[in-house]
Amino acid sequence: MKKLIVANWKSYVGSEADALSLAEGYSGIVMPQGVEAVACPPSVYIETVKGKLGRVKLGAQNVSLEDEGAHTGAVTVHMLLDAGAQYVIIGHSERRAEHETNEEVGKKAKHALAAGLDVVLCVGEPEAIRKQGIEAALAFVTTELAESAPSAEHMARSKGQLAIAYEPVWAISKDGVGRTDTAENAAAMATVIKAFLAQQLPDHAPLVLYGGSLNSGNAAQFLAKPEIGGALVGHASMNAEEFQKIIDAAGSK
Ligand code: PGA
């Protein structure tokens, strides 16, 4: 079964020199059978690393809802495609923290899919919800999906592929310091997400990735679960050797 491993470079890469040196490490990455890996640099460095990532594909961390026109600061889907991105992360909790709503996330996802970008749509509950128990977390994530996942009609008209990243907000690391969910809980959540999508998108079977403090030491536990179709990796993707080990863990499953 295919596994998708997505590197979210966030703003850890702060200069062109940083982006080029990380890309150089990525260019030597060996890709096991059945694994696809994507690097998502800050958008101004997409063209910098284009063609320099070896077997690793290229994506972006966010996209605007707007199309060409009077939208100061907007990076549109067409700009991303032009720059060479194939994937885009949408609805990351660090964007949602800037007041991005489910409705906006859903509109962005549909817009990007229609234009031909492959979308990694992020969902996940904050700590206060998780403290109420796993049922509350499941309900929270199901609502996020209900309010943002594309319809079957929309997917039928779309050129891009959809994947969902389940990232419990409280598990996402700050500069590499964080705590993962358990692989069992993540797999239970992936099962519920898959069941929701099987109803809404019967002709598609989007992969469900896990994200949140994943690294080479714990990746195998998560990736061994058949329900978990890959990983969204933040801080641990800053080191090409570490990222290779996570890819290898996906390959041996
Ligand atoms: P992390 O980030 O791996 O550093 O926890 C994951 C993410 O936010 O996508």
Side-chain angles (χ1 to χ4, degrees):
M1 213 164 61
K2 178 181 156 183
K3 300 262 188 198
L4 175 65
I5 309 294
V6 181
N8 180 1
W9 289 6
K10 304 195 180 189
S11 303
Y12 289 131
V13 165
S15 68
E16 190 176 67
D18 281 356
L20 283 170
S21 106
L22 191 52
E24 194 182 322
Y26 273 44
S27 68
I29 282 178
V30 178
M31 206 60 65
Q33 191 93 30
V35 182
E36 187 163 316
V38 184
C40 300
S43 54
V44 290
Y45 300 132
I46 290 174
E47 297 222 80
T48 309
V49 301
K50 182 180 171 183
K52 297 190 170 79
L53 294 167
R55 304 277 315 278
V56 178
K57 299 192 169 152
L58 192 49
Q61 298 173 18
N62 189 24
V63 70
S64 168
L65 246 184
E66 313 296 347
D67 267 325
E68 192 177 325
H71 310 293
T72 303
V75 175
T76 70
V77 288
H78 302 289
M79 294 176 199
L80 291 184
L81 284 163
D82 247 10
Q86 180 185 334
Y87 281 82
V88 63
I89 298 169
I90 291 179
H92 192 282
S93 63
E94 288 155 14
R95 303 289 344 143
R96 291 176 186 263
E98 307 282 326
H99 311 296
E100 197 172 79
T101 62
N102 285 338
E103 190 191 355
E104 207 173 324
V105 169
K107 282 186 183 161
K108 281 186 179 185
K110 286 172 203 146
H111 190 49
L113 287 163
L117 283 165
D118 294 333
V119 166
V120 179
L121 196 165
C122 301
V123 294
E125 79 287 355
E127 182 147 40
I129 299 287
R130 183 56 168 262
K131 281 193 169 143
Q132 295 167 24
I134 190 79
E135 290 302 325
L138 289 168
F140 185 92
V141 168
T142 307
T143 301
E144 283 188 316
L145 283 173
E147 292 179 2
S148 62
S151 65
E153 294 73 33
H154 192 92
M155 281 308 285
R157 282 185 271 114
S158 292
K159 291 181 267 171
Q161 305 264 346
L162 176 68
I164 304 293
Y166 169 58
E167 294 203 302
V169 177
W170 49 270
I172 295 173
S173 86
K174 296 269 178 295
D175 299 328
V177 180
R179 63 201 152 103
T180 58
D181 201 346
T182 64
E184 288 65 35
N185 278 334
M189 190 64 86
T191 302
V192 169
I193 293 171
K194 278 173 171 292
F196 178 93
L197 294 171
Q199 288 225 324
Q200 179 146 329
L201 303 172
D203 298 334
H204 299 264
L207 293 172
V208 179
L209 320 183
Y210 169 78
S213 298
L214 192 116
N215 57 42
S216 65
N218 58 34
Q221 293 165 35
F222 289 89
L223 295 168
K225 302 280 182 198
E227 305 87 340
I228 299 179
L232 181 51
V233 188
H235 194 267
S237 72
M238 286 301 98
N239 178 312
E241 283 172 29
E242 172 85 356
F243 193 53
Q244 172 78 69
K245 286 183 192 158
I246 294 169
I247 288 170
D248 290 343
S252 59
K253 301 306 160 211

